[in-house]
Amino acid sequence: MTLSTEYERLSLPLEHAFTISRSTQTTADNVVVRIEDDEGNVGVGGAAPSKHYGETADTVEAVMPDLLDVVESVDDPHALARIEREMKETVNRNPAARCAVSIALHDLVAKRADLPLYRYWGLDPEDTLETSFTIGIDTTEVMREKTAEAVEAGYNTLKVKVGTDRDGEIVGAIRDEAPDATIRVDANQAWSPREAVGKIEVLAEYDVEFVEQPIPAENPDGMRFVRERSALPIAADESCITLEDIPRIAGQADIANLKLMKCGGLREAMRMIHTAKAHGMEVMLGCMIESNASIAAACHLAPLLDYADLDGSLLLSEDEYEGVPMPNGSIGLKTGRPGTGVQKQ
């Protein structure tokens, strides 16, 4: 077998400026990988790097030739464990870059078997979930308008970004606009421990489902303090990056929020899911702002999850790829397409 590889950088415009407690963006730079076998099967994967975790599209492009050299030297897409090991030995950091290759390989091997990825893994497509749709920080009135748009589009689960001096006002306005929606709140590390306990008590009045990463990841004792006093369940995101973090956060949070771009690939994500459940935690799979080149693969993990936050491609105004359908936010795995289901628009 002879594998050929290539990659390209995409600058993807967002539908609206996206603001969280620490940053604002209007475009998302992704890097898309293609791996082709000698029978014409092509696997596609995407990297959506985050500066918060020390990666940019520039760093992804810088290490990608070395990672693809590993793929071509092994020359067997089914040797996933070996390729994963050798990629990490070659590039220990840059998990989003390694993730793009992992996704492309899984897409390719499932296509070679002529199976959707969930079926290749033996998962039940009926056991799927609804993704949340994110409302970024803005003026309260604009956030209310974005909520109305999301509800009109059929999204029943909303994730609201907070970390301002008007968080109660924001969530109250969104609850007023979406009285029947499930609402989750994400502070992106914006609060102190005592501030978090007080704010969560206020937010609980608006029937919020859970609160994500209320305080900085560098304060594990503070996370434990908040969880022990919180009126709502706590999800760990920035505190939960790799497999080794799961045992550490088990006493700090009720929910582990994994992201493929943090952990480095699909095999590692599966290990994290099973480890979190073994520690008595629920599991959510989140995302960056991503093309369907990577979101499609994340969707195939839905049967293993308790919550999904896979709206990265839904926040884009343009995407060169289409993936798993998500009508009204419902992750529709039964597309019949082999692999991850990703294909060029």
Side-chain angles (χ1 to χ4, degrees), residues 17-35:
F18 186 77
T19 299
I20 63 174
S21 63
R22 59 174 178 260
S23 64
T24 299
Q25 65 183 109
T26 57
T27 60
D29 286 339
N30 283 204
V31 177
V32 175
V33 172
R34 290 165 51 91
I35 303 174

Side-chain angles (χ1 to χ4, degrees), residues 49-257:
S50 168
K51 286 183 181 179
H52 182 75
Y53 298 106
E55 276 189 282
T56 65
D58 288 339
T59 68
V60 171
E61 287 187 303
V63 302
M64 192 57 71
D66 293 333
L67 296 176
L68 295 180
D69 280 349
V70 171
V71 174
E72 292 182 7
S73 66
V74 174
D75 204 33
D76 178 2
H78 296 274
L80 294 167
R82 179 182 171 189
I83 293 173
E84 179 184 84
R85 182 180 67 250
E86 293 189 11
M87 283 200 302
K88 197 164 185 180
E89 290 170 354
T90 302
V91 179
N92 186 39
R93 297 185 182 180
N94 283 94
R98 287 186 281 112
C99 184
V101 180
S102 168
I103 291 171
L105 287 167
H106 281 80
D107 186 34
L108 177 58
V109 297
K111 282 176 177 171
R112 286 170 58 83
D114 196 28
L115 294 172
L117 185 56
Y118 73 81
R119 185 161 173 76
Y120 182 82
W121 283 334
L123 303 180
D124 182 358
E126 301 289 348
D127 194 13
T128 188
L129 293 171
E130 190 176 276
T131 181
S132 55
F133 185 86
T134 303
I135 308 296
I137 293 174
D138 212 311
T139 66
T140 304
E141 190 53 39
V142 169
M143 293 180 75
R144 182 192 286 271
E145 291 170 3
K146 289 180 180 178
T147 299
E149 287 178 16
V151 170
E152 186 176 349
Y155 297 109
N156 301 307
T157 302
L158 305 176
K159 183 165 96 164
V160 182
K161 295 290 188 177
V162 294
T164 72
D165 57 2
R166 52 193 168 86
D167 291 335
E169 173 190 315
I170 286 170
V171 176
I174 288 174
R175 173 53 76 202
D176 185 54
E177 193 66 40
D180 299 322
T182 297
I183 295 177
R184 303 164 183 170
V185 165
D186 184 3
N188 286 112
Q189 311 183 90
W191 303 328
S192 70
R194 292 193 180 279
E195 182 184 17
V197 172
K199 288 212 172 195
I200 291 170
E201 189 171 338
V202 172
L203 297 179
E205 297 175 8
Y206 299 106
D207 192 25
V208 169
E209 186 177 27
F210 59 78
V211 175
E212 190 176 333
Q213 199 68 42
I215 71 165
E218 296 77 20
N219 188 356
D221 290 338
M223 279 283 282
R224 189 174 290 104
F225 175 93
V226 173
R227 186 198 178 200
E228 289 172 353
R229 294 161 178 79
S230 175
L232 296 170
I234 300 297
D237 178 4
E238 286 89 345
S239 296
C240 178
I241 301 172
T242 64
L243 179 63
E244 290 75 16
D245 292 320
I246 298 292
R248 288 197 286 268
I249 65 168
Q252 302 170 27
D254 306 282
I255 303 162
N257 183 12

